[in-house]
Amino acid sequence: MRGTEHIGFTVPDLDEAHRFFVDVIGCEYVYTLGPFQREDEWMAEHLNVHPRSVMRELRFFRCGHGPNFEVFQWEPADGQASQPRNSDIGGHHLAFYVDDLDAAITHLREHGVRILGDPTASRNASEGQRWVYFLAPWGMQLELVSFPQGKAYEAGSTVKLWDPRDPLA
């Protein structure tokens, strides 16, 4: 294994997500596929969705040095579940590394993005890191994280987490 190639997720409005990821976050749009619709069991067998669901469109985005985003808009044949919270099974968030956390928060606020609380300074093994959660316009949980001088655990660890400050290390 070499690493994470992409992260796929579904949004309610792909045009809104496109504007958000390109204009606010700074990702680059790459290409579009779809729609995909099947009359057999392919969707259920390969994607674990209702067989008559329609994948209306998907778009690929490159976001800095991290994994690509594969962003879907579906028309599910059997309804759609609500956005999971971090505490729910399947709950998740995407974290973006930034060099200047305070400047990034200011940028998000200037674009009307909801920031969840004030930045938190991590402790223990993650000391040196600051982070804050924010929400995409459709409620998806995202995070800004920064640790320009590294994290405390690095001083005594032989294995280090992948670090966007030095993507090839």
Side-chain angles (χ1 to χ4, degrees):
M1 183 188 65
R2 292 185 180 256
T4 302
E5 193 274 333
H6 74 268
I7 298 169
F9 50 91
T10 298
V11 298
D13 181 331
L14 196 49
D15 291 330
E16 175 186 53
H18 184 113
R19 288 187 301 273
F20 179 72
F21 284 117
V22 171
D23 298 341
V24 177
I25 300 300
C27 300
E28 296 175 278
Y29 165 71
V30 182
Y31 67 93
T32 297
L33 295 173
F36 296 107
Q37 183 174 1
R38 299 289 294 248
E39 296 303 321
D40 57 12
E41 297 300 307
W42 192 93
M43 291 287 198
E45 291 173 9
H46 293 268
L47 301 176
N48 197 33
V49 299
H50 188 284
R52 299 295 83 75
S53 291
V54 177
M55 195 283 298
R56 183 58 46 210
E57 184 179 344
L58 70 92
R59 295 182 194 171
F60 283 92
F61 299 87
R62 179 178 176 149
C63 300
H65 294 294
N68 304 302
F69 289 170
E70 182 181 24
V71 185
F72 295 88
Q73 185 170 332
W74 284 89
E75 291 175 15
D78 56 351
Q80 208 157 42
S82 62
Q83 181 85 356
R85 299 168 300 165
N86 269 344
S87 57
D88 294 329
I89 294 174
H92 60 277
H93 69 277
L94 299 174
F96 297 98
Y97 184 88
V98 295
D99 293 323
D100 185 333
L101 186 69
D102 297 314
I105 292 169
T106 298
H107 172 79
L108 292 178
R109 283 192 173 125
E110 288 171 351
H111 284 86
V113 174
R114 181 177 168 204
I115 309 295
L116 301 181
D118 293 322
T120 298
S122 296
R123 296 181 184 189
N124 303 317
S126 292
E127 188 172 338
Q129 170 182 276
R130 291 175 63 224
W131 58 270
V132 68
Y133 272 43
F134 64 101
L135 299 178
W138 58 93
M140 184 175 178
Q141 299 166 125
L142 304 167
E143 178 184 3
L144 295 175
V145 61
S146 189
F147 42 92
Q149 306 305 314
K151 298 179 189 178
Y153 88 91
E154 295 170 343
S157 180
T158 58
V159 177
K160 295 193 169 85
L161 294 170
W162 181 81
D163 187 337
R165 297 172 304 155
D166 187 7
L168 300 178

